[in-house]
Amino acid sequence: MIDDCLIHRCLTWDSGRVDAHGIVGGPVNELTIRDTEIHTFSGDAIQFDPGRSSPGWAGITLLGCTLWLGPLETAENGFPAGVVPGENAIDTKNSASVSAATLVVRDTVVFGFRNGYISNQAAFNLKENIEATLDGVTVSESEIAFRIRGPDAEISIRNAVVHDVETAVRYEDNIVDPEVWNSTFGTSVGEGFDEASSSGTTVDVRNLLVLGSSLPAEAPAASNLAVGMTAFVDTSKNDYRLAAGSQAIDQGEKLATLAQIRDGNPRSQGLGHDVGAYEYNDGISIFADGFESGGPSCWSVWVPS
């Protein structure tokens, strides 16, 4: 467990930028990184496993973390002021000869991954024989939010909010059937999806809510919606909760594996699942209590005072 830590200024320069990561591991198993902030590094915030070691890594979980980069305010350890020193928030590497690595990221905020020393700079650079689930993440101020790379990576993106990025999802190398479910693409998203050497890929996009006049070609399903600013509480503050009367309310496809929304409340809160990362809640909290199999169901309603 790495819990409630602040890790920063991992900066190495030797006639040029040298990788210095916030957290880096080899064949690590069952590690939780919780409520931790990592910033200002010349490699990645988190990387597993640069050595691609046997028997491989697994069971890495991030909960409630903040990972970010920004231009250096002053010259530091060989880096001039004004540069963005690092690469990605999370970068994965794993040997093809071992079991698939497993990664879960929940309720994590990532920003500032652009204008660095590398091309195709991404918040999440997920590749090489992994199974990754990203649930309730927020990505902004980055070149690419999710760079997902096949063929062996299995990626599921759920309840994500993305804004102020050049590309939300770049999928590569014929990655097989990645999922983008119940997510919201907000202001200043240059393109929703970018296909790179991945003509054999079908991205499974459901309940995607896009701020704009049209949907990406990868999102033809009826449960995906393009909406205007009035569908949200306040786009000027990047508050993408659903406003009263939003056309996204109760219009989503029911996805049994998405029983919760970003704040831990159950989905749905109304007559059906909503589209996007949030369920509309008008201040009434509804709890479903099931009785024994074959018995009646009861809905209890709590109205705040």
Side-chain angles (χ1 to χ4, degrees):
M1 171 79 75
I2 297 173
D3 188 20
D4 196 23
C5 292
L6 173 62
I7 301 169
H8 64 104
R9 284 174 171 77
C10 308
L11 298 169
T12 300
W13 181 277
D14 183 8
S15 302
R17 184 193 64 82
V18 177
D19 279 353
H21 308 300
I23 296 172
V24 61
V28 175
N29 279 263
E30 305 305 323
L31 170 67
T32 296
I33 304 167
R34 185 175 66 188
D35 296 333
T36 288
E37 180 179 359
I38 307 174
H39 71 85
T40 315
F41 40 84
S42 58
D44 304 307
I46 298 169
Q47 185 184 111
F48 293 96
D49 161 20
R52 299 172 176 85
S53 311
S54 294
W57 56 276
I60 307 298
T61 302
L62 269 72
L63 299 172
C65 295
T66 302
L67 315 174
W68 63 273
L69 281 175
L72 295 176
E73 294 183 359
T74 60
E76 293 190 51
N77 202 33
F79 290 88
V83 304
V84 176
E87 295 188 329
N88 313 109
I90 298 179
D91 183 34
T92 63
K93 301 177 180 181
N94 191 38
S95 170
S97 62
V98 300
S99 298
T102 53
L103 170 70
V104 174
V105 182
R106 289 197 174 98
D107 304 325
T108 290
V109 175
V110 180
F111 62 90
F113 292 86
R114 63 184 176 196
N115 301 324
Y117 283 89
I118 62 171
S119 60
N120 294 321
Q121 188 172 13
F124 292 92
N125 186 30
L126 305 177
K127 62 185 189 296
E128 294 188 17
N129 191 25
I130 65 164
E131 298 173 3
T133 299
L134 312 180
D135 194 343
V137 303
T138 301
V139 183
S140 65
E141 301 172 42
S142 298
E143 181 180 348
I144 302 168
F146 306 104
R147 186 181 182 193
I148 55 178
R149 304 162 67 179
D152 296 324
E154 297 182 12
I155 310 296
S156 180
I157 299 167
R158 308 174 176 193
N159 299 315
V161 171
V162 179
H163 62 88
D164 191 19
V165 300
E166 293 178 28
T167 302
V169 180
R170 176 184 167 103
Y171 57 101
E172 305 180 25
D173 304 325
N174 289 317
I175 187 170
V176 177
D177 300 332
E179 298 172 347
V180 180
W181 290 358
N182 271 100
S183 294
T184 298
F185 294 171
T187 57
S188 302
V189 175
E191 59 181 344
F193 295 86
D194 178 24
E195 179 266 315
S197 301
S198 207
S199 59
T201 296
T202 299
V203 187
D204 184 3
V205 183
R206 308 192 212 181
N207 296 349
L208 175 68
L209 191 59
V210 175
L211 175 58
S213 58
S214 62
L215 289 167
E218 287 85 351
S223 65
N224 302 313
L225 290 177
V227 296
M229 292 185 295
T230 58
F232 303 103
V233 170
D234 191 346
T235 59
S236 68
K237 296 180 180 178
N238 293 309
D239 185 344
Y240 296 103
R241 291 174 298 162
L242 300 180
S246 172
Q247 55 268 58
I249 296 172
D250 297 337
Q251 298 304 306
E253 175 184 350
K254 183 177 181 180
L255 301 171
T257 56
L258 284 184
Q260 289 187 332
I261 55 177
R262 289 166 63 90
D263 58 8
N265 284 325
R267 179 179 275 121
S268 63
Q269 294 284 315
L271 298 176
H273 286 205
D274 297 347
V275 181
Y278 293 96
E279 286 279 313
Y280 176 70
N281 186 323
D282 62 1
I284 299 177
S285 297
I286 302 175
F287 305 91
D289 298 320
F291 288 83
E292 293 181 0
S293 178
S297 293
C298 172
W299 290 91
S300 25
V301 179
W302 171 72
V303 181
S305 58

